[in-house]
Amino acid sequence: MLKRQSPGAPEHRRDLAADGGALSMSHNDSRSFLNLSQLVLSAGQIKPSAALKHSKVTYFEVEIVDVQSKKQICIVDKVSPASTVLDVKHKFHKACPQWYPSRVGLQLERNGPFLKDSISIQSLAVSSIITLYFTDLGQQVGWTTFFLTEYTGPLLIYLLFYIRLSTIYDQVESRKNFRHPVVHLACFCHCLHYIRHLLETLFVHKFSEGHTPLKNMIKGCAFYWGFTSWIAYYINHPRYTPPSFGHKQVSYAALAFLMCEAGNHFINVALAHQTNSGNRTCFPSPTYNPFTWLFLLVSCPNYTYEAGSWISFTVMTQTLPVGIFAFLMVIQMSLWAQKKHKLYLKRFYPEVRRKAAMIPIIF
């Protein structure tokens, strides 16, 4: 006989299966949540985003104040710590277009020195607001323009006197009087001197912080151009008297002039090479070139050679205007050499302490 099944059995099994499935699903969900929680806890602190880091950068406000009236001119805001004084000058120029960067002089104190363009703003900051004093430096010109203008004038002016223009000299007297060979030699030496200066300005010297007031260029041109006119007028005059000791005096003086010109050039090249290579840890040392051996005795041999050139030119031509010009040049270059020598003593004391500034043996 077959056993009769209860009609409610299948439904009961389905209910148990449903309950068991529900319990199984609930157990799996719990394990998944537990694993996710452990993963989050083991990951550590969530790193801040890049945008959040960027928002913490501190910007400075630079207050520009007139050094005379002490009145505020403008405020340059949102200056980053990596900015330099030159960057501030450019932003100041945008706010006040009449003052371009090379014309702007900024000081941290009213009576303090002008800040260099390369100085970092962060190094000047005591708080988020920085006060800088403004001075109008006037019309500015680049150093290259300054020297090219200063040296081109004497070169052209001397040639105008050398060809003996009718507006300068009497033509009858010019044709009648014979030119002594020293007149031609003096023209060659004078032109060589200024051509060397022009070529070194273009291809040798490197100028930093490259601007100077226009009035300095005007004074320099007046000095060089004026003395060149005076010198050239006497040497190229039809009544010019040759040197007292004749050919020997001219020859020895011309040889000394050429040696000084060569020495000046090689010293300038050595100094430029030191600047370009970036090796400023020691004072320039003499090389195999004998013209650089003057570094053993003086700290500014380029001024020594320059003075020697004009003294030699004075002996060669034997004229009073050249002598006066050479005397003034020696005084001026001595002052420049003393100033540079003091800077060298601070930076290269062991190497420079027993050297003279410009004239050998005088310590």
Side-chain angles (χ1 to χ4, degrees):
M1 292 181 63
L2 297 173
K3 190 176 180 179
R4 188 178 179 182
Q5 296 179 354
S6 173
E11 288 79 0
H12 180 68
R13 291 191 197 99
R14 284 195 298 269
D15 292 341
L16 289 175
D19 292 340
L23 289 172
S24 177
M25 290 178 62
S26 176
H27 181 67
N28 292 336
D29 290 344
S30 299
R31 291 183 63 184
S32 300
F33 179 76
L34 180 61
N35 292 335
L36 180 62
S37 301
Q38 291 177 347
L39 179 64
V40 171
L41 291 175
S42 63
Q45 186 177 1
I46 299 177
K47 293 181 180 181
S49 62
L52 184 60
K53 279 187 176 182
H54 183 70
S55 63
K56 293 183 179 180
V57 175
T58 302
Y59 290 93
F60 297 104
E61 289 186 356
V62 180
E63 180 188 23
I64 309 295
V65 178
D66 185 82
V67 71
Q68 299 293 337
S69 63
K70 300 182 183 180
K71 293 182 179 179
Q72 183 189 96
I73 300 176
C74 72
I75 293 180
V76 179
D77 57 355
K78 293 185 178 180
V79 179
S80 66
S83 299
T84 61
V85 173
L86 182 61
D87 297 328
V88 173
K89 288 182 179 181
H90 282 291
K91 290 187 176 183
F92 178 58
H93 174 57
K94 291 181 180 179
C96 304
Q98 67 271 30
W99 292 307
Y100 49 89
S102 62
R103 187 168 181 165
V104 176
L106 296 178
Q107 301 162 274
L108 194 59
E109 300 175 355
R110 289 191 64 197
N111 298 323
F114 290 111
L115 300 173
K116 294 183 178 181
D117 291 344
S118 58
I119 293 179
S120 171
I121 289 298
Q122 192 172 14
S123 65
L124 305 175
V126 179
S127 64
S128 60
I129 300 178
I130 304 171
T131 301
L132 297 180
Y133 294 93
F134 161 75
T135 300
D136 183 7
L137 300 178
Q139 188 76 18
Q140 301 287 301
V141 293
W143 280 110
T144 302
T145 303
F146 176 91
F147 287 115
L148 289 179
T149 305
E150 192 174 69
Y151 296 143
T152 303
L155 180 64
L156 299 177
I157 290 172
Y158 196 98
L159 291 175
L160 292 177
F161 283 90
Y162 176 74
I163 61 177
R164 289 184 176 178
L165 294 176
S166 58
T167 55
I168 301 175
Y169 302 112
D170 181 75
Q171 292 301 300
V172 176
E173 193 174 23
S174 298
R175 287 192 295 267
K176 183 171 55 176
N177 291 332
F178 171 75
R179 289 200 191 196
H180 193 275
V182 71
V183 175
H184 304 292
L185 182 60
C187 180
F188 170 78
C189 291
H190 191 275
C191 292
L192 176 67
H193 177 79
Y194 284 103
I195 289 174
R196 178 184 63 81
H197 273 304
L198 291 172
L199 293 177
E200 288 177 352
T201 300
L202 293 173
F203 304 111
V204 176
H205 297 302
K206 303 296 179 183
F207 304 107
S208 59
E209 307 275 336
H211 295 89
T212 186
L214 177 63
K215 61 182 180 181
N216 289 346
M217 189 180 77
I218 294 174
K219 289 190 292 186
C221 289
F223 177 78
Y224 279 97
W225 295 15
F227 263 103
T228 299
S229 301
W230 191 24
I231 291 169
Y233 176 80
Y234 274 86
I235 295 177
N236 295 287
H237 198 281
R239 298 182 184 178
Y240 169 72
T241 304
S244 303
F245 297 97
H247 179 71
K248 286 186 178 181
Q249 179 178 343
V250 173
S251 300
Y252 289 137
L255 181 61
F257 177 87
L258 294 176
M259 291 180 64
C260 289
E261 287 294 300
N264 202 340
H265 172 70
F266 288 121
I267 292 296
N268 288 332
V269 170
L271 293 173
H273 178 71
Q274 181 206 20
T275 302
N276 293 338
S277 63
N279 181 19
R280 292 173 177 240
T281 57
C282 59
F283 188 75
S285 57
T287 64
Y288 62 89
N289 189 336
F291 288 103
T292 63
W293 295 351
L294 199 56
F295 272 123
L296 296 171
L297 300 176
V298 297
S299 60
C300 301
N302 51 329
Y303 294 144
T304 307
Y305 282 123
E306 184 79 8
S309 293
W310 285 111
I311 293 173
S312 302
F313 194 77
T314 302
V315 175
M316 182 178 66
T317 57
Q318 195 175 310
T319 53
L320 180 62
V322 182
I324 295 175
F325 180 75
F327 176 73
L328 295 177
M329 287 294 291
V330 169
I331 292 177
Q332 180 62 71
M333 286 183 290
S334 298
L335 297 175
W336 290 340
Q338 289 291 338
K339 186 177 180 180
K340 282 192 175 183
H341 187 69
K342 291 180 180 179
L343 295 176
Y344 288 153
L345 284 174
K346 293 180 181 178
R347 296 174 56 188
F348 314 112
Y349 176 73
E351 297 94 337
V352 183
R353 66 187 181 91
R354 295 190 63 84
K355 299 181 189 294
M358 189 182 86
I359 302 175
I361 305 174
I362 300 178
F363 294 93

